[in-house]
Amino acid sequence: MRIVIRSGEDSGHQFPVDREMTVGRAPDNAIVLVDADVSGHHAAVRPAPGGIEVVDTGSSNGTFVNGVRISAATLVRPGDDLLFAKTLAGVQGDETMVGEAPGAPNTLVVRAGANAGRSVQLHEGQDVYIGRDAGLGLTLSDSRVSGRHARVRLSGGTLTVEDLKSANGTLVNGKPLTGAMTANDGAEIQVGETVLVYYRDGARGGGYMPIPTIIGGVAPTTTTTIINNTTGGRSKKTTVALLGIGVIAIGAAAAAVAALLLSGGSGRKDEDIPTLVAMAKPETLQIVNLYNNGDAIGGSGSVIDAEDGLVLTNNHVATGGELLVLNELIGKKAVPAEMVAAAPCDDLAVIKITKSSDRKKLEQVEFGDADDLKQGQLVVALGYPNSAESGAGDRLDSLSATSGIISKVATTYNVPGSDVPELTNAIQHQAAVNHGNSGGPLFDTKGRQVGVNTAIFITDTGERYEGENYAVSVARVQELLPKLKKGQSIKWVGATLDQLTVNGGAFAGLAIGSITPGSPADEAGLKHSEDSWRQAIVGIDGEDIGTLHDYCEKMPESGKVTLSIFDRESSDVSEVELDLGRN
């Protein structure tokens, strides 16, 4: 028997129960749960005839079986709901697994969705059907999956995936299937809201899951000791690849498109890619952020108000230091800019070119309509990928233009425990973006901005999935812009925040990296990082936090808030009051 976690930050993790085991948030438990509402030592579980016996060990928020809080040892059978505080789990017998357990060669493992943790082993020359119908090789309880949705076949050591004219389509590494496609080791196959991963040599760890990563610049170093003298820093599971790669993306040579797909109603006509790039180039800026400790990161942005010098970008590009911007109309030397407002939990920010004389030649973008976007439509990403490695950024780098299709018009991206906030309305597309493209515009073929490039998809082993690129949708941008343009930040303290972990991978708080001058964090006297972090946020208004997702859930949009700050030098936790919404 095994416990399978079905919600929260550990969703998809499986824990075989072959002895008495403790469950809780503390890292010395056999089953460690990343849930602030779970007690340090919450419960105990042990094998029992027909299931698993669970006993609550004095937790604050309780253990529940089928919705009833337990007060004594209780048998949990396969199919029962088991709740540790807010973390939902279930019991699964080996006989209910599809095929062989993860670790067998040529295995498909469900890594996200209602059936996370299930698997099926593939055999040479045999078809395996995937869908909602009973009796298939892999039956899924996903309402967006068709009865017979897809078929996979292993032949000559090669896996072929075929969509069976499903209602919602099948993606392989983000690419929609139009017929059959081969899948390599580690390939991600998506049907409905269910994500499967193919392992040729056997699954690599029960908790393995691809995660998104920010397209940023230079990351502060955070591999240090934390709170109880255990090693901290970024865990492999949540590593964010922020170091500049300096890849020059393809440019206008991608113009050989036989027929551009229309992007909906507008007074503008569809343009060939060289014309579109020429139109959008004056609207796209290179941004440099000079951190407190001397590091510099680079990113991109788009002009949204030429007269007032307002520029839209990512929060992770704009927060934490002194800002400079460049483009060919401004000149090849950087000019100063300042933060207007930011929304870190949507990774958006508006900055302003400080001097009116530096704004005279600016041109501003026109926003598109998210309702006009179509799956399979061509989009173009503009930005400055070299800016991530160009140091202080006192020169203009080469603008990059890449094109690709939209894989998903509107999707929610949510991987708790990563350094990427939940993107509630994102566009998944296949236009190549790299480090330094962060904050740059995504255009439709009429030259209208439809998104803000924010994240790429990288596994915990560092492998990048092509076509796994994410932009915050213009629909979400337009919801937040009225506040941001007025200088009303949303849940912004004014510091870069880096995930910290304790031994065993449990998340322990957010290290304060670099701090924006004049921000709430600066005015409250919080300390920025030098060679390593000094302070970390471990609580908000009396509630513990461990992750960026906790921060976004518990942080008020504006007004006064009390942060629990752990100081590494003194090993003390102090309460610090901040006034949010100011910058």
Side-chain angles (χ1 to χ4, degrees), residues 364-393:
Q364 69 187 51
V365 297
E366 175 185 332
F367 285 128
D369 188 338
D371 291 337
D372 291 340
L373 298 177
K374 303 288 190 296
Q375 191 174 39
Q377 171 184 326
L378 190 72
V379 286
V380 177
L382 263 64
Y384 291 89
N386 279 354
S387 64
E389 63 167 19
S390 60

PDB file of all heavy atoms in Angstrom, residues 364-393:
ATOM      1  N   GLN A 364       4.992  53.707 -28.800  1.00  0.00           N
ATOM      2  CA  GLN A 364       4.351  52.790 -27.869  1.00  0.00           C
ATOM      3  C   GLN A 364       3.594  51.685 -28.585  1.00  0.00           C
ATOM      4  O   GLN A 364       3.174  51.836 -29.733  1.00  0.00           O
ATOM      5  CB  GLN A 364       3.418  53.553 -26.929  1.00  0.00           C
ATOM      6  CG  GLN A 364       2.188  54.125 -27.575  1.00  0.00           C
ATOM      7  CD  GLN A 364       1.406  55.008 -26.609  1.00  0.00           C
ATOM      8  OE1 GLN A 364       1.967  55.912 -25.971  1.00  0.00           O
ATOM      9  NE2 GLN A 364       0.101  54.748 -26.484  1.00  0.00           N
ATOM     10  N   VAL A 365       3.431  50.571 -27.867  1.00  0.00           N
ATOM     11  CA  VAL A 365       2.753  49.412 -28.428  1.00  0.00           C
ATOM     12  C   VAL A 365       1.244  49.652 -28.468  1.00  0.00           C
ATOM     13  O   VAL A 365       0.696  50.498 -27.752  1.00  0.00           O
ATOM     14  CB  VAL A 365       3.030  48.139 -27.595  1.00  0.00           C
ATOM     15  CG1 VAL A 365       4.494  47.781 -27.613  1.00  0.00           C
ATOM     16  CG2 VAL A 365       2.516  48.285 -26.173  1.00  0.00           C
ATOM     17  N   GLU A 366       0.594  48.882 -29.323  1.00  0.00           N
ATOM     18  CA  GLU A 366      -0.864  48.751 -29.291  1.00  0.00           C
ATOM     19  C   GLU A 366      -1.166  47.366 -28.758  1.00  0.00           C
ATOM     20  O   GLU A 366      -0.564  46.377 -29.195  1.00  0.00           O
ATOM     21  CB  GLU A 366      -1.455  48.909 -30.685  1.00  0.00           C
ATOM     22  CG  GLU A 366      -2.961  48.660 -30.756  1.00  0.00           C
ATOM     23  CD  GLU A 366      -3.503  48.700 -32.169  1.00  0.00           C
ATOM     24  OE1 GLU A 366      -2.918  49.397 -33.019  1.00  0.00           O
ATOM     25  OE2 GLU A 366      -4.507  48.008 -32.437  1.00  0.00           O
ATOM     26  N   PHE A 367      -2.081  47.280 -27.794  1.00  0.00           N
ATOM     27  CA  PHE A 367      -2.442  45.981 -27.256  1.00  0.00           C
ATOM     28  C   PHE A 367      -3.442  45.277 -28.163  1.00  0.00           C
ATOM     29  O   PHE A 367      -4.346  45.905 -28.732  1.00  0.00           O
ATOM     30  CB  PHE A 367      -3.049  46.114 -25.856  1.00  0.00           C
ATOM     31  CG  PHE A 367      -2.035  46.399 -24.780  1.00  0.00           C
ATOM     32  CD1 PHE A 367      -2.207  47.464 -23.909  1.00  0.00           C
ATOM     33  CD2 PHE A 367      -0.913  45.604 -24.635  1.00  0.00           C
ATOM     34  CE1 PHE A 367      -1.283  47.729 -22.908  1.00  0.00           C
ATOM     35  CE2 PHE A 367       0.027  45.864 -23.646  1.00  0.00           C
ATOM     36  CZ  PHE A 367      -0.156  46.930 -22.786  1.00  0.00           C
ATOM     37  N   GLY A 368      -3.280  43.952 -28.287  1.00  0.00           N
ATOM     38  CA  GLY A 368      -4.245  43.132 -28.988  1.00  0.00           C
ATOM     39  C   GLY A 368      -5.377  42.707 -28.062  1.00  0.00           C
ATOM     40  O   GLY A 368      -5.426  43.087 -26.881  1.00  0.00           O
ATOM     41  N   ASP A 369      -6.278  41.905 -28.593  1.00  0.00           N
ATOM     42  CA  ASP A 369      -7.422  41.400 -27.832  1.00  0.00           C
ATOM     43  C   ASP A 369      -7.220  39.910 -27.604  1.00  0.00           C
ATOM     44  O   ASP A 369      -7.109  39.129 -28.562  1.00  0.00           O
ATOM     45  CB  ASP A 369      -8.713  41.652 -28.604  1.00  0.00           C
ATOM     46  CG  ASP A 369      -9.961  41.335 -27.782  1.00  0.00           C
ATOM     47  OD1 ASP A 369      -9.861  40.553 -26.824  1.00  0.00           O
ATOM     48  OD2 ASP A 369     -11.038  41.864 -28.124  1.00  0.00           O
ATOM     49  N   ALA A 370      -7.189  39.495 -26.334  1.00  0.00           N
ATOM     50  CA  ALA A 370      -6.974  38.075 -26.023  1.00  0.00           C
ATOM     51  C   ALA A 370      -8.064  37.198 -26.608  1.00  0.00           C
ATOM     52  O   ALA A 370      -7.819  36.028 -26.937  1.00  0.00           O
ATOM     53  CB  ALA A 370      -6.891  37.879 -24.514  1.00  0.00           C
ATOM     54  N   ASP A 371      -9.255  37.746 -26.760  1.00  0.00           N
ATOM     55  CA  ASP A 371     -10.364  36.955 -27.308  1.00  0.00           C
ATOM     56  C   ASP A 371     -10.160  36.621 -28.784  1.00  0.00           C
ATOM     57  O   ASP A 371     -10.826  35.719 -29.320  1.00  0.00           O
ATOM     58  CB  ASP A 371     -11.688  37.706 -27.144  1.00  0.00           C
ATOM     59  CG  ASP A 371     -12.118  37.802 -25.687  1.00  0.00           C
ATOM     60  OD1 ASP A 371     -11.666  36.959 -24.889  1.00  0.00           O
ATOM     61  OD2 ASP A 371     -12.884  38.717 -25.356  1.00  0.00           O
ATOM     62  N   ASP A 372      -9.277  37.362 -29.461  1.00  0.00           N
ATOM     63  CA  ASP A 372      -9.020  37.112 -30.881  1.00  0.00           C
ATOM     64  C   ASP A 372      -7.983  36.017 -31.114  1.00  0.00           C
ATOM     65  O   ASP A 372      -7.801  35.560 -32.246  1.00  0.00           O
ATOM     66  CB  ASP A 372      -8.528  38.394 -31.571  1.00  0.00           C
ATOM     67  CG  ASP A 372      -9.609  39.453 -31.670  1.00  0.00           C
ATOM     68  OD1 ASP A 372     -10.788  39.096 -31.577  1.00  0.00           O
ATOM     69  OD2 ASP A 372      -9.261  40.642 -31.830  1.00  0.00           O
ATOM     70  N   LEU A 373      -7.256  35.624 -30.057  1.00  0.00           N
ATOM     71  CA  LEU A 373      -6.179  34.653 -30.225  1.00  0.00           C
ATOM     72  C   LEU A 373      -6.718  33.274 -30.535  1.00  0.00           C
ATOM     73  O   LEU A 373      -7.770  32.864 -30.037  1.00  0.00           O
ATOM     74  CB  LEU A 373      -5.307  34.609 -28.967  1.00  0.00           C
ATOM     75  CG  LEU A 373      -4.586  35.910 -28.601  1.00  0.00           C
ATOM     76  CD1 LEU A 373      -3.826  35.750 -27.304  1.00  0.00           C
ATOM     77  CD2 LEU A 373      -3.645  36.337 -29.728  1.00  0.00           C
ATOM     78  N   LYS A 374      -5.987  32.537 -31.368  1.00  0.00           N
ATOM     79  CA  LYS A 374      -6.394  31.191 -31.782  1.00  0.00           C
ATOM     80  C   LYS A 374      -5.245  30.215 -31.541  1.00  0.00           C
ATOM     81  O   LYS A 374      -4.073  30.545 -31.739  1.00  0.00           O
ATOM     82  CB  LYS A 374      -6.769  31.165 -33.269  1.00  0.00           C
ATOM     83  CG  LYS A 374      -7.866  32.149 -33.672  1.00  0.00           C
ATOM     84  CD  LYS A 374      -9.219  31.712 -33.154  1.00  0.00           C
ATOM     85  CE  LYS A 374     -10.332  32.554 -33.768  1.00  0.00           C
ATOM     86  NZ  LYS A 374     -10.256  33.980 -33.402  1.00  0.00           N
ATOM     87  N   GLN A 375      -5.585  28.993 -31.147  1.00  0.00           N
ATOM     88  CA  GLN A 375      -4.570  27.945 -31.041  1.00  0.00           C
ATOM     89  C   GLN A 375      -3.986  27.684 -32.417  1.00  0.00           C
ATOM     90  O   GLN A 375      -4.710  27.566 -33.403  1.00  0.00           O
ATOM     91  CB  GLN A 375      -5.190  26.679 -30.476  1.00  0.00           C
ATOM     92  CG  GLN A 375      -4.179  25.609 -30.087  1.00  0.00           C
ATOM     93  CD  GLN A 375      -4.844  24.435 -29.399  1.00  0.00           C
ATOM     94  OE1 GLN A 375      -5.933  24.030 -29.778  1.00  0.00           O
ATOM     95  NE2 GLN A 375      -4.196  23.885 -28.383  1.00  0.00           N
ATOM     96  N   GLY A 376      -2.658  27.615 -32.512  1.00  0.00           N
ATOM     97  CA  GLY A 376      -1.994  27.420 -33.793  1.00  0.00           C
ATOM     98  C   GLY A 376      -1.637  28.705 -34.502  1.00  0.00           C
ATOM     99  O   GLY A 376      -0.967  28.684 -35.538  1.00  0.00           O
ATOM    100  N   GLN A 377      -2.032  29.846 -33.953  1.00  0.00           N
ATOM    101  CA  GLN A 377      -1.750  31.148 -34.560  1.00  0.00           C
ATOM    102  C   GLN A 377      -0.279  31.512 -34.399  1.00  0.00           C
ATOM    103  O   GLN A 377       0.355  31.198 -33.392  1.00  0.00           O
ATOM    104  CB  GLN A 377      -2.633  32.198 -33.869  1.00  0.00           C
ATOM    105  CG  GLN A 377      -2.314  33.634 -34.221  1.00  0.00           C
ATOM    106  CD  GLN A 377      -3.182  34.588 -33.414  1.00  0.00           C
ATOM    107  OE1 GLN A 377      -4.332  34.283 -33.107  1.00  0.00           O
ATOM    108  NE2 GLN A 377      -2.641  35.738 -33.062  1.00  0.00           N
ATOM    109  N   LEU A 378       0.285  32.200 -35.373  1.00  0.00           N
ATOM    110  CA  LEU A 378       1.679  32.626 -35.324  1.00  0.00           C
ATOM    111  C   LEU A 378       1.834  33.841 -34.404  1.00  0.00           C
ATOM    112  O   LEU A 378       1.021  34.767 -34.446  1.00  0.00           O
ATOM    113  CB  LEU A 378       2.172  32.981 -36.720  1.00  0.00           C
ATOM    114  CG  LEU A 378       3.680  33.213 -36.866  1.00  0.00           C
ATOM    115  CD1 LEU A 378       4.429  31.894 -36.756  1.00  0.00           C
ATOM    116  CD2 LEU A 378       3.991  33.874 -38.198  1.00  0.00           C
ATOM    117  N   VAL A 379       2.874  33.838 -33.578  1.00  0.00           N
ATOM    118  CA  VAL A 379       3.225  34.982 -32.740  1.00  0.00           C
ATOM    119  C   VAL A 379       4.726  35.226 -32.859  1.00  0.00           C
ATOM    120  O   VAL A 379       5.492  34.338 -33.255  1.00  0.00           O
ATOM    121  CB  VAL A 379       2.840  34.771 -31.269  1.00  0.00           C
ATOM    122  CG1 VAL A 379       1.336  34.889 -31.066  1.00  0.00           C
ATOM    123  CG2 VAL A 379       3.340  33.423 -30.742  1.00  0.00           C
ATOM    124  N   VAL A 380       5.155  36.450 -32.514  1.00  0.00           N
ATOM    125  CA  VAL A 380       6.557  36.850 -32.618  1.00  0.00           C
ATOM    126  C   VAL A 380       7.007  37.435 -31.287  1.00  0.00           C
ATOM    127  O   VAL A 380       6.319  38.289 -30.705  1.00  0.00           O
ATOM    128  CB  VAL A 380       6.757  37.886 -33.742  1.00  0.00           C
ATOM    129  CG1 VAL A 380       8.209  38.347 -33.797  1.00  0.00           C
ATOM    130  CG2 VAL A 380       6.341  37.304 -35.087  1.00  0.00           C
ATOM    131  N   ALA A 381       8.144  36.954 -30.775  1.00  0.00           N
ATOM    132  CA  ALA A 381       8.710  37.443 -29.516  1.00  0.00           C
ATOM    133  C   ALA A 381       9.898  38.348 -29.818  1.00  0.00           C
ATOM    134  O   ALA A 381      10.790  37.984 -30.588  1.00  0.00           O
ATOM    135  CB  ALA A 381       9.153  36.284 -28.637  1.00  0.00           C
ATOM    136  N   LEU A 382       9.905  39.534 -29.213  1.00  0.00           N
ATOM    137  CA  LEU A 382      11.035  40.455 -29.335  1.00  0.00           C
ATOM    138  C   LEU A 382      11.665  40.656 -27.968  1.00  0.00           C
ATOM    139  O   LEU A 382      10.961  40.654 -26.945  1.00  0.00           O
ATOM    140  CB  LEU A 382      10.588  41.810 -29.894  1.00  0.00           C
ATOM    141  CG  LEU A 382      10.778  42.017 -31.403  1.00  0.00           C
ATOM    142  CD1 LEU A 382       9.905  41.049 -32.172  1.00  0.00           C
ATOM    143  CD2 LEU A 382      10.476  43.455 -31.801  1.00  0.00           C
ATOM    144  N   GLY A 383      12.982  40.839 -27.956  1.00  0.00           N
ATOM    145  CA  GLY A 383      13.654  41.079 -26.688  1.00  0.00           C
ATOM    146  C   GLY A 383      15.153  41.124 -26.855  1.00  0.00           C
ATOM    147  O   GLY A 383      15.683  41.080 -27.977  1.00  0.00           O
ATOM    148  N   TYR A 384      15.840  41.187 -25.728  1.00  0.00           N
ATOM    149  CA  TYR A 384      17.294  41.330 -25.692  1.00  0.00           C
ATOM    150  C   TYR A 384      17.905  40.192 -24.874  1.00  0.00           C
ATOM    151  O   TYR A 384      18.304  40.387 -23.718  1.00  0.00           O
ATOM    152  CB  TYR A 384      17.667  42.686 -25.097  1.00  0.00           C
ATOM    153  CG  TYR A 384      17.308  43.849 -25.987  1.00  0.00           C
ATOM    154  CD1 TYR A 384      16.061  44.459 -25.897  1.00  0.00           C
ATOM    155  CD2 TYR A 384      18.211  44.337 -26.934  1.00  0.00           C
ATOM    156  CE1 TYR A 384      15.718  45.527 -26.713  1.00  0.00           C
ATOM    157  CE2 TYR A 384      17.876  45.398 -27.750  1.00  0.00           C
ATOM    158  CZ  TYR A 384      16.627  45.996 -27.637  1.00  0.00           C
ATOM    159  OH  TYR A 384      16.303  47.048 -28.466  1.00  0.00           O
ATOM    160  N   PRO A 385      17.987  38.987 -25.457  1.00  0.00           N
ATOM    161  CA  PRO A 385      18.503  37.849 -24.683  1.00  0.00           C
ATOM    162  C   PRO A 385      19.938  38.016 -24.240  1.00  0.00           C
ATOM    163  O   PRO A 385      20.344  37.472 -23.215  1.00  0.00           O
ATOM    164  CB  PRO A 385      18.341  36.665 -25.635  1.00  0.00           C
ATOM    165  CG  PRO A 385      18.264  37.275 -26.989  1.00  0.00           C
ATOM    166  CD  PRO A 385      17.582  38.589 -26.814  1.00  0.00           C
ATOM    167  N   ASN A 386      20.755  38.797 -24.995  1.00  0.00           N
ATOM    168  CA  ASN A 386      22.150  38.998 -24.599  1.00  0.00           C
ATOM    169  C   ASN A 386      22.282  39.863 -23.361  1.00  0.00           C
ATOM    170  O   ASN A 386      23.319  39.869 -22.707  1.00  0.00           O
ATOM    171  CB  ASN A 386      22.942  39.645 -25.737  1.00  0.00           C
ATOM    172  CG  ASN A 386      23.379  38.623 -26.772  1.00  0.00           C
ATOM    173  OD1 ASN A 386      23.187  37.433 -26.577  1.00  0.00           O
ATOM    174  ND2 ASN A 386      23.940  39.088 -27.863  1.00  0.00           N
ATOM    175  N   SER A 387      21.217  40.617 -23.015  1.00  0.00           N
ATOM    176  CA  SER A 387      21.324  41.547 -21.894  1.00  0.00           C
ATOM    177  C   SER A 387      21.543  40.835 -20.575  1.00  0.00           C
ATOM    178  O   SER A 387      22.004  41.438 -19.612  1.00  0.00           O
ATOM    179  CB  SER A 387      20.074  42.420 -21.812  1.00  0.00           C
ATOM    180  OG  SER A 387      18.924  41.633 -21.543  1.00  0.00           O
ATOM    181  N   ALA A 388      21.228  39.557 -20.509  1.00  0.00           N
ATOM    182  CA  ALA A 388      21.419  38.816 -19.264  1.00  0.00           C
ATOM    183  C   ALA A 388      22.885  38.629 -18.925  1.00  0.00           C
ATOM    184  O   ALA A 388      23.237  38.343 -17.792  1.00  0.00           O
ATOM    185  CB  ALA A 388      20.733  37.456 -19.356  1.00  0.00           C
ATOM    186  N   GLU A 389      23.787  38.793 -19.896  1.00  0.00           N
ATOM    187  CA  GLU A 389      25.207  38.552 -19.612  1.00  0.00           C
ATOM    188  C   GLU A 389      26.079  39.754 -19.938  1.00  0.00           C
ATOM    189  O   GLU A 389      27.281  39.672 -19.943  1.00  0.00           O
ATOM    190  CB  GLU A 389      25.704  37.352 -20.430  1.00  0.00           C
ATOM    191  CG  GLU A 389      25.642  37.556 -21.915  1.00  0.00           C
ATOM    192  CD  GLU A 389      26.436  36.483 -22.670  1.00  0.00           C
ATOM    193  OE1 GLU A 389      26.715  35.435 -22.088  1.00  0.00           O
ATOM    194  OE2 GLU A 389      26.770  36.738 -23.830  1.00  0.00           O
ATOM    195  N   SER A 390      25.456  40.919 -20.165  1.00  0.00           N
ATOM    196  CA  SER A 390      26.244  42.049 -20.629  1.00  0.00           C
ATOM    197  C   SER A 390      26.687  42.979 -19.507  1.00  0.00           C
ATOM    198  O   SER A 390      26.920  44.155 -19.716  1.00  0.00           O
ATOM    199  CB  SER A 390      25.449  42.848 -21.669  1.00  0.00           C
ATOM    200  OG  SER A 390      24.241  43.340 -21.107  1.00  0.00           O
ATOM    201  N   GLY A 391      26.745  42.460 -18.291  1.00  0.00           N
ATOM    202  CA  GLY A 391      27.274  43.235 -17.186  1.00  0.00           C
ATOM    203  C   GLY A 391      26.405  44.415 -16.846  1.00  0.00           C
ATOM    204  O   GLY A 391      25.198  44.324 -16.737  1.00  0.00           O
ATOM    205  N   ALA A 392      27.029  45.586 -16.661  1.00  0.00           N
ATOM    206  CA  ALA A 392      26.300  46.766 -16.222  1.00  0.00           C
ATOM    207  C   ALA A 392      25.391  47.320 -17.291  1.00  0.00           C
ATOM    208  O   ALA A 392      24.570  48.178 -17.032  1.00  0.00           O
ATOM    209  CB  ALA A 392      27.283  47.831 -15.781  1.00  0.00           C
ATOM    210  N   GLY A 393      25.490  46.847 -18.517  1.00  0.00           N
ATOM    211  CA  GLY A 393      24.546  47.237 -19.546  1.00  0.00           C
ATOM    212  C   GLY A 393      24.691  48.660 -20.020  1.00  0.00           C
ATOM    213  O   GLY A 393      23.705  49.357 -20.241  1.00  0.00           O
TER     214      GLY A 393
END
